[in-house]
Amino acid sequence: MKTNTTELAAHLARLAPNRPANWVANDANLFRRLAMRAKRNAENLCNGYVEQEAYDKRVNRIKLAALEVLCFYDGMTLSVGGDPRGCCFYLKHPKLPGNTWGGAESGFGVW
């Protein structure tokens, strides 16, 4: 099940009530784009289109782009990578529900 951008924005708005709504919506869009990039990179690694070193560099760029926004959401962490058959981008915060087979402890999967 893919994450609805509106659903993600609603969860982010609860975590940063003082952040303007249009910025929260932009953050949700950014997380969705980064999640799609992370999944595509994992698929390319799995299919042998990129080497591990190039994959690691791409994942680091994704993390850096996400960290610029994560500072507005206190206590939120990020996990990038994993099996390309599932979710490859997770946001973790105690107030975020789990929306994957891993449950709440795996985080909120952004697809």
Side-chain angles (χ1 to χ4, degrees):
M1 174 173 66
K2 297 194 184 253
T3 306
N4 184 327
T5 306
T6 307
E7 176 189 4
L8 177 58
H11 287 302
L12 294 176
R14 283 187 308 118
L15 298 176
N18 296 330
R19 190 153 169 83
N22 61 325
W23 292 3
V24 171
N26 287 338
D27 296 345
N29 282 329
L30 174 70
F31 288 142
R32 286 288 311 273
R33 285 194 318 268
L34 293 174
M36 288 186 284
R37 190 181 307 165
K39 185 161 184 66
R40 189 171 48 251
N41 287 334
E43 289 170 352
N44 288 340
L45 177 67
C46 185
N47 291 330
Y49 299 141
V50 296
E51 298 294 326
Q52 183 69 44
E53 185 176 322
Y55 171 77
D56 291 339
K57 286 181 183 177
R58 292 175 182 181
V59 167
N60 285 335
R61 283 196 301 258
I62 291 170
K63 287 180 180 179
L64 288 174
L67 288 175
E68 291 177 6
V69 176
L70 282 180
C71 63
F72 298 108
Y73 302 96
D74 292 334
M76 187 180 292
T77 59
L78 169 74
S79 173
V80 177
D83 190 343
R85 295 174 293 181
C87 186
C88 295
F89 190 94
Y90 291 94
L91 297 173
K92 297 179 182 181
H93 190 278
K95 293 183 180 179
L96 280 176
N99 65 343
T100 63
W101 286 97
E105 59 272 358
S106 68
F108 187 84
V110 182
W111 297 71

